[in-house]
Amino acid sequence: MPFIESTSAQSITTITLNRPEKLNAFAGTMREELIAALHAAAADSTCRVVVITGAGRGFCAGGDVEYMSGLQKNGEVAAFRKLLDAGREVVMSIAAMEKPVIASVNGVAAGAGCNLALACDYRIAADAAKFSESFVKIGMHPDWGGHGSSDAVARWNC
C-alpha cells in the first residue's frame, strides 16, 4: 500500500497521506513520496488546485517518533538528516507552487503535520481537528518551517 496517494478529478489534485494506523505519521519514504506528488501536481497543466489530507481519523501526527528513535539508536545520522531535508523540501515545494494548496484537516495535525498544514495557502478544519506544535513535548526543535524562519512563512494565512 502506498503511503501517499494522489488522485485528480475536475482540475483538483488530492494528495492523501495514507498511513491511518499511525495517524499518518511520517516514516520511511513518505516525505519523498509527498515531494514527488507535489512536483507532479505542479507540473500537471490540468490541475488548478491541490488538496492535502489524511486517511482515517488524522491529518498527520508528524514524524513517527519510533522510527526516528530507531535511526538515533542505530547512529544513522545521515538518514535522520535526510528526513529533515525532505521536510524542508516539502514546505518549499508548497511555497513555490503556483496553484493554491489547501490543507483539509480531518483530525490531529501535530508537529510536522501541524507545520505541513500551516505551509498550505488555506486550511479547512473539521470539528475534530486539533493542531499542536508538539515538538517541545519531546525536546525537539520545530522543523518543517515551524520556527518561522522559512521563506514559506510569508505565504502563511494565519
Side-chain angles (χ1 to χ4, degrees):
M1 170 171 68
F3 288 135
I4 302 294
E5 293 181 348
S6 184
T7 58
S8 296
Q10 300 177 338
S11 302
I12 301 168
T13 296
T14 302
I15 298 171
T16 304
L17 308 178
N18 189 28
R19 196 169 173 238
E21 70 282 0
K22 292 284 191 172
L23 296 175
N24 304 309
F26 285 102
T29 61
M30 282 183 75
R31 294 162 184 84
E32 291 81 4
E33 291 177 37
L34 179 54
I35 292 164
L38 288 166
H39 289 179
D44 182 354
S45 63
T46 66
C47 172
R48 296 191 55 184
V49 64
V50 177
V51 176
I52 300 174
T53 193
R57 61 186 180 88
F59 177 72
C60 179
D64 186 324
V65 177
E66 287 179 38
Y67 179 77
M68 292 185 294
S69 178
L71 293 177
Q72 182 183 20
K73 286 178 185 173
N74 294 328
E76 297 182 49
V77 175
F80 195 78
R81 179 80 235 162
K82 186 177 175 184
L83 295 182
L84 297 178
D85 291 344
R88 179 183 182 280
E89 188 171 348
V90 167
V91 171
M92 297 311 289
S93 294
I94 292 170
M97 183 82 64
E98 294 182 2
K99 303 161 188 185
V101 181
I102 301 169
S104 179
V105 183
N106 52 319
V108 66
C114 181
N115 293 333
L116 172 60
L118 290 176
C120 295
D121 298 300
Y122 301 97
R123 285 147 300 284
I124 299 171
D127 289 340
K130 297 193 184 310
F131 296 84
S132 174
E133 287 288 356
S134 55
F135 298 94
V136 69
K137 294 177 184 177
I138 58 173
M140 290 185 70
H141 184 274
D143 58 2
W144 290 66
H147 49 75
S149 66
S150 170
D151 293 341
V153 169
R155 295 190 56 197
W156 291 358
N157 296 312
C158 63

